[in-house]
C-alpha cells in the first residue's frame, strides 16, 4: 500500500487570512490562486501494518511538530478507506520550506493524493478536498492546476479549477529574499489577527466583493484590472497582519524594494503585479512575454537571493504505485 504523488504550491491573488472555525480549519473567506509550476513537492506514502504510529520525513528530517496535522489527515483517510494501517510519509520540496512559499499547501495536496491512491480511494471522492484542508486552508487549491477558486458557504467549502493553464497562460517569478523559516506560522498568525486586529472584521466583510470582481476579471482575461485588485487585496491582508497585536511584519526591506520595482514596471506598461504572503518572498505574476524582463529586474535588486520562474502548473497527480 504505497504510492507517490507530486503537487505544486499555489499563491493566492485574492487571499485567505483567518478562520471561521479553528478545529475544522474552516477559512473565514474564499480565495483565488494560481498554481506555481516551477516549484514542486513530491511525497511517497507507505501504509504498513507493522508501524505503530504515523511518521513524516520532510527533506530527510523527522517533523514531530507536524504530528497532530499529519495524524488528523491520515485518520480521516483511514476512516474513508476503512483501513487501520499507519503510514510513513516521505516528502521532498525543491524550494525553501516554511518561508512563505506555500510548502504546506503542496505538501498536503501531494500527501492526500498519494495516500488516497495507496488506500484505493477514488480520486474524485469529494471528501478528499476537506481532508486536504486539515493540513492547510490553502492546500485544497493545490489539487488543481492553472487557477483555483475556493469558496465558502457557511461551513461548506467548495474548491474547483477556474481556468486551466492554457485558458489564460500566465507566468510567475518568485523573488527569494531569505531561505529562513518564518517565526510565526500562518495558522497561529491568522488566529491572532482575528482576535486583535481592528481591521479584521472589515477584511472579512469586504472580501466577497474582491473575490467576485477577480473572478470576472479572470473570465474577461483583464490583466490590468486583476493586477490592481490583487495588489489591493494583498495590501489589505498585510494591513490586517501589521495591525495584529503583537504585529506580524512579514516584509523585509528587500520585500518592499521588489514590490516597488514591480509597481514601477507596471507604470511603464509591463503587465506584471506583485503578491506577498506570510513571509518576505515576493511573487510577481505576469504575462509570459514579460517574464524575462521581470526576472532580470528582480535579479538586480540587492538582497534577492534567487528568482524562480515558470508557467502555471498542473494539479496534484499520482506518479507511481506499488
Ligand atoms: O493555508 P495556510 O495556513 O498556509 O495560510 C495561507 C495564508 C496565505 O498564504 C497568507 C494566503 C493564502 O490564501 O494563501
Amino acid at each position: 500500500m504505497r504510492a507517490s504523488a507530486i503537487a505544486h504550491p499555489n499563491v493566492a491573488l485574492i487571499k485567505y487570512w483567518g478562520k471561521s472555525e479553528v478545529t475544522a480549519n474552516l477559512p473565514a473567506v474564499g480565495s483565488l490562486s494560481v498554481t506555481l509550476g516551477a516549484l514542486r513537492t513530491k511525497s511517497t506514502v507507505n501504509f504498513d501494518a507493522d508501524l505503530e504510529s504515523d511518521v513524516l520525513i520532510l527533506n530527510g528530517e523527522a517533523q514531530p511538530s507536524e504530528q497532530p496535522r499529519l495524524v488528523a489527515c491520515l485518520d480521516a483517510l483511514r476512516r474513508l478507506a476503512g483501513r487501520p494501517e499507519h503510514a510513513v510519509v516521505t516528502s521532498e520540496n525543491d524550494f525553501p520550506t516554511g518561508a512563505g512559499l506555500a510548502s504546506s499547501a503542496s505538501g498536503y495536496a501531494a500527501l492526500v493524493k498519494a495516500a488516497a491512491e495507496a488506500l484505493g480511494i477514488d480520486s474524485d471522492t469529494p471528501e478528499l478536498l476537506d481532508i486536504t484542508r486539515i493540513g492547510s486552508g490553502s492546500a485544497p487549491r493545490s489539487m488543481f492546476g492553472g487557477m483555483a477558486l475556493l469558496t465558502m458557504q457557511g461551513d461548506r467549502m467548495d474548491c474547483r479549477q477556474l481556468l486551466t493553464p492554457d485558458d489564460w497562460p500566465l507566468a510567475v517569478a518568485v523573488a527569494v529574499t531569505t531561505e529562513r523559516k518564518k517565526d510565526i506560522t500562518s495558522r497561529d498568525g491568522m488566529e491572532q489577527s482575528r482576535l486583535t486586529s481592528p481591521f479584521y472584521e472589515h477584511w472579512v466583510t469586504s472580501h466577497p466583493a474582491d473575490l467576485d470582481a477577480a473572478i470576472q476579471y479572470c473570465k474577461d482575461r483583464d490583466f490590468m484590472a486583476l493586477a490592481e485588485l490583487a495588489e489591493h487585496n494583498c495590501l489589505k491582508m498585510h494591513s490586517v497582519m501589521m495591525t495584529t497585536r503583537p504585529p506580524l511584519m512579514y516584509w523585509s526591506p528587500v520585500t518592499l524594494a521588489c514590490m516597488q520595482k514591480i509597481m514601477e514596471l507596471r507604470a511603464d506598461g509591463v503587465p506584471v503585479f506583485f503578491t506577498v504572503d506570510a513571509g518576505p518572498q515576493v511573487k510577481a505574476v505576469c504575462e509570459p512575454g514579460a517574464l524575462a524582463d521581470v526576472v532580470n529586474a528582480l535579479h538586480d535588486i540587492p538582497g534577492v537571493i534567487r528568482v524562480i520562474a515558470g508557467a502555471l502548473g498542473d494539479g496534484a497527480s499520482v506518479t507511481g504505485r506499488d
Side-chain angles (χ1 to χ4, degrees), residues 199-218:
F199 301 157
Y200 181 78
E201 203 176 317
H202 182 71
W203 159 250
V204 173
T205 53
S206 66
H207 199 279
D210 286 1
L211 192 57
D212 287 349
I215 293 168
Q216 194 55 50
Y217 298 152
C218 290

Side-chain angles (χ1 to χ4, degrees), residues 12 14 19 26 45 75 86 102 123 137 163 193 202 233 263 265 277 304:
I14 301 296
K19 300 182 207 303
L26 278 177
V45 183
D75 276 347
H86 291 291
S123 63
L163 294 175
S193 293
H202 182 71
N233 185 266
M263 287 166 82
L265 287 172
D277 292 300
V304 170

Side-chain angles (χ1 to χ4, degrees), residues 206-269:
S206 66
H207 199 279
D210 286 1
L211 192 57
D212 287 349
I215 293 168
Q216 194 55 50
Y217 298 152
C218 290
K219 287 183 178 159
D220 297 344
R221 314 290 194 270
D222 188 341
F223 186 90
M224 287 302 188
L226 182 64
E228 190 279 329
L229 178 59
E231 287 186 356
H232 166 73
N233 185 266
C234 168
L235 294 173
K236 201 158 55 171
M237 178 183 76
H238 281 274
S239 71
V240 172
M241 292 165 158
M242 288 175 196
T243 50
T244 296
R245 289 178 157 170
L248 298 167
M249 262 310 308
Y250 287 113
W251 301 353
S252 73
V254 188
T255 312
L256 197 53
C258 293
M259 291 159 75
Q260 274 167 339
K261 179 45 119 186
I262 291 165
M263 287 166 82
E264 269 168 43
L265 287 172
R266 192 158 83 262
D268 288 344

Side-chain angles (χ1 to χ4, degrees), residues 27-106:
V29 293
S31 50
L32 174 74
S33 62
V34 288
T35 303
L36 306 181
L39 309 175
R40 203 179 74 158
T41 299
K42 181 172 185 197
S43 290
T44 300
V45 183
N46 191 5
F47 288 92
D48 185 337
D50 292 337
L51 291 168
E52 284 174 11
S53 60
D54 297 315
V55 183
L56 171 64
I57 313 282
L58 175 59
N59 295 335
E61 282 179 31
Q63 305 286 322
S65 65
E66 273 299 311
Q67 205 62 13
R69 286 204 276 187
L70 175 73
V71 172
C73 217
L74 290 170
D75 276 347
L77 288 157
R78 282 186 280 261
R79 265 197 303 279
L80 204 55
R83 307 272 333 182
E85 292 85 355
H86 291 291
V88 176
V89 180
T90 319
S91 205
E92 300 282 339
N93 291 335
D94 67 359
F95 58 92
T97 299
L101 288 174
S103 53
S104 59
S106 53

Side-chain angles (χ1 to χ4, degrees), residues 10-19 25 30-33 69 100 102-105 135-141 182 185-187 190 237-238 241 276-279 283:
N10 67 77
V11 58
L13 310 185
I14 301 296
K15 312 239 178 232
Y16 129 71
W17 189 253
K19 300 182 207 303
N25 205 20
S31 50
L32 174 74
S33 62
R69 286 204 276 187
S103 53
S104 59
S136 132
S138 53
R141 302 188 313 232
K182 60 191 167 204
T185 63
S186 303
R187 186 167 285 231
M190 64 176 73
M237 178 183 76
H238 281 274
M241 292 165 158
V276 182
D277 292 300
K283 292 96 177 184

Side-chain angles (χ1 to χ4, degrees), residues 95-97 99 176-181 281 305-306:
F95 58 92
T97 299
V176 178
T177 63
T178 178
E179 312 262 2
R180 228 186 103 227
K181 276 197 174 193
Q281 331 290 7
I305 298 169
R306 60 197 162 110

